[in-house]
């Protein structure tokens, strides 16, 4: 019987140790769920272990084939360029290995169910959903396609759930920011608002979302504002990562390229079309050689399509 490929989880990284540990614990949980399968995980920046160390760990366990799943909600530059470039580098470092690359998690119905639970936990039980406006806050990206995915998640969350509306904001790199998003909710007539962070785990940016929400609420006492929690290591998330793994193993890859800035000339992003890919160098990766790779540049898009 053919041995199935190992599972490699690729994370972004955070300066928040609790958030980094949440990722590492999630990888361990996946490993306990599938004890017969080698499972490892690493980060492309900010947190240990680097992705390269995770690949080395698998190789030292005798792995020659693995499927890599980006533990990311949207397909931005990291998922489109940094991780594929890092995997290509690891293939050079470890001759004889092969891998397939899965797709990001996206606004999957399973995650929407978790988001719905987070909203239910945050609201007052006496509140009528029809009087509640939700502000879904994403990370934010310089990639318009990635930002559009957050708007898609907001629309899907609104459909059929009876909320007054689901608006969208970002905590970095894109507009509207959190205060502007809250201003919009108020202008639209909202008086009961739940700010819902579109993040997998705790970290610097989710903490910033909560702080900005508290500051805005203090300046607008007429509005009732609640903060919801992040998605967290829920069973649905574990199931979804496994689904993405199985897709990658079977070759069922449904990456969306219709509005990708590395393939299509979008207004204001024409200079990104066809850029060559460069690895994203992790400072804790002992084997790296930094060549001045700037964050957000040098992503190719010939991979995984």
């Amino acid at each position: 019987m053919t041995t199935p490929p190992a599972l490699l989880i690729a994370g972004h990284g955070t300066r928040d140790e609790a958030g980094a540990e949440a990722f590492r614990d999630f990888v361990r949980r996946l490993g306990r769920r599938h004890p017969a399968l080698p499972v490892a995980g690493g980060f492309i920046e900010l947190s240990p272990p680097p992705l390269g160390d995770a690949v080395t760990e698998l190789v030292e366990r005798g792995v020659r084939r693995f499927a890599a799943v980006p533990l990311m909600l949207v397909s931005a530059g990291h998922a489109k360029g940094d991780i594929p470039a890092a995997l290509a580098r690891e293939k050079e470092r470890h001759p004889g290995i092969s891998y397939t690359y899965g797709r990001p998690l996206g606004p999957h119905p399973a995650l929407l169910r978790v988001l719905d639970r987070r909203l239910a936990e945050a609201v007052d039980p006496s509140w009528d959903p029809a009087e509640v406006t939700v502000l879904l806050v994403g990370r934010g990206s310089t990639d318009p396609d990635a930002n559009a995915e957050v708007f898609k998640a907001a629309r899907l969350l609104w459909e059929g759930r009876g909320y007054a509306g689901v608006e969208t904001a970002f905590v970095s790199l894109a507009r509207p920011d959190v205060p502007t998003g809250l201003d919009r909710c108020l202008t639209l007539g909202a008086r009961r608002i739940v700010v819902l962070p579109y993040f997998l785990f705790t970290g610097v940016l989710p903490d910033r979302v909560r702080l900005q929400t508290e500051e805005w609420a203090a300046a607008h006492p007429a509005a009732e504002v609640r903060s919801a929690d992040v998605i967290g290591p829920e069973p649905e998330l574990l199931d979804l990562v496994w689904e993405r793994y199985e897709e990658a193993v079977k070759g069922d890859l449904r990456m969306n390229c219709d509005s990708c800035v590395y393939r299509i000339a979008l207004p204001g992003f024409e200079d990104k079309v066809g850029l060559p890919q460069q690895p994203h160098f992790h400072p804790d990766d002992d084997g790296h050689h930094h060549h001045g790779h700037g964050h957000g540049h040098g992503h190719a898009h010939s991979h995984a399509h």
Side-chain angles (χ1 to χ4, degrees):
M1 185 174 67
T2 304
T3 303
L7 171 57
L8 175 69
I9 307 297
H12 176 273
T14 173
R15 292 183 177 86
D16 180 78
E17 177 53 30
E21 181 54 30
F23 170 90
R24 294 189 288 260
D25 182 65
F26 183 80
V27 172
R28 291 191 290 266
R29 291 191 192 199
L30 274 171
R32 290 194 295 269
R33 266 197 173 200
H34 306 281
L37 186 77
V39 177
F43 298 100
I44 57 172
E45 63 178 354
L46 300 175
S47 313
L51 193 62
D53 285 7
V55 174
T56 299
E57 175 190 336
L58 291 175
V59 170
E60 290 175 348
R61 294 168 65 180
V63 169
R64 289 296 175 267
R65 296 188 306 133
F66 62 86
V69 175
L71 197 67
M72 298 175 181
L73 289 167
V74 301
S75 185
H78 294 305
K80 291 176 178 177
D82 292 329
I83 296 174
L87 294 175
R89 181 182 60 198
E90 294 309 312
K91 192 172 183 180
E92 293 179 357
R93 290 180 177 176
H94 304 282
I97 68 169
S98 62
Y99 62 87
T100 55
Y101 184 49
R103 56 182 176 139
L105 305 177
H108 193 280
L111 295 185
L112 295 174
R113 289 196 297 271
V114 179
L115 292 172
D116 206 16
R117 286 208 301 275
R118 295 292 176 256
L119 288 172
E121 294 162 0
V123 302
D124 188 305
S126 67
W127 289 5
D128 180 352
E131 298 177 348
V132 175
T133 299
V134 178
L135 182 65
L136 184 71
V137 181
R139 175 183 296 272
S141 172
T142 56
D143 185 328
D145 187 40
N147 295 331
E149 288 186 36
V150 182
F151 277 83
K152 179 179 180 179
R155 180 67 195 191
L156 290 171
L157 184 63
W158 181 76
E159 291 280 356
R161 288 180 170 83
Y163 298 113
V166 180
E167 298 297 318
T168 309
F170 301 96
V171 72
S172 66
L173 298 176
R175 294 182 295 175
D177 59 16
V178 175
T180 303
L182 286 164
D183 287 343
R184 175 175 169 80
C185 292
L186 195 64
T187 300
L188 291 172
R191 292 299 177 268
R192 289 173 170 171
I193 305 169
V194 179
V195 177
L196 178 62
Y198 194 44
F199 288 82
L200 294 174
F201 305 123
T202 58
V204 172
L205 294 182
D207 287 348
R208 187 182 301 168
V209 173
R210 185 175 290 269
L211 178 61
Q212 291 180 353
T213 299
E214 292 172 353
E215 291 174 345
W216 187 91
H220 299 80
E224 295 183 79
V225 184
R226 302 286 180 89
S227 289
D229 203 355
V230 295
I231 291 171
E234 294 293 290
E236 290 94 338
L237 182 57
L238 290 158
D239 291 341
L240 179 54
V241 171
W242 186 253
E243 183 178 321
R244 292 291 185 255
Y245 164 79
E246 291 186 318
E247 288 176 357
V249 169
K250 296 173 184 175
D252 179 17
L253 300 177
R254 291 165 280 178
M255 193 75 75
N256 172 29
C257 291
D258 293 339
S259 54
C260 175
V261 290
Y262 304 115
R263 285 183 178 270
I264 307 299
L266 297 180
F269 298 88
E270 293 87 352
D271 60 331
K272 290 195 173 187
V273 176
L275 285 178
Q277 72 177 2
Q278 299 288 341
H280 191 106
F281 294 104
H282 194 294
D284 295 330
D285 186 345
D286 292 336
H288 86 267
H289 300 283
H290 200 288
H291 296 294
H293 169 61
H295 179 74
H297 297 280
H299 303 297
H301 212 42
S302 59
H303 51 269
H305 289 76

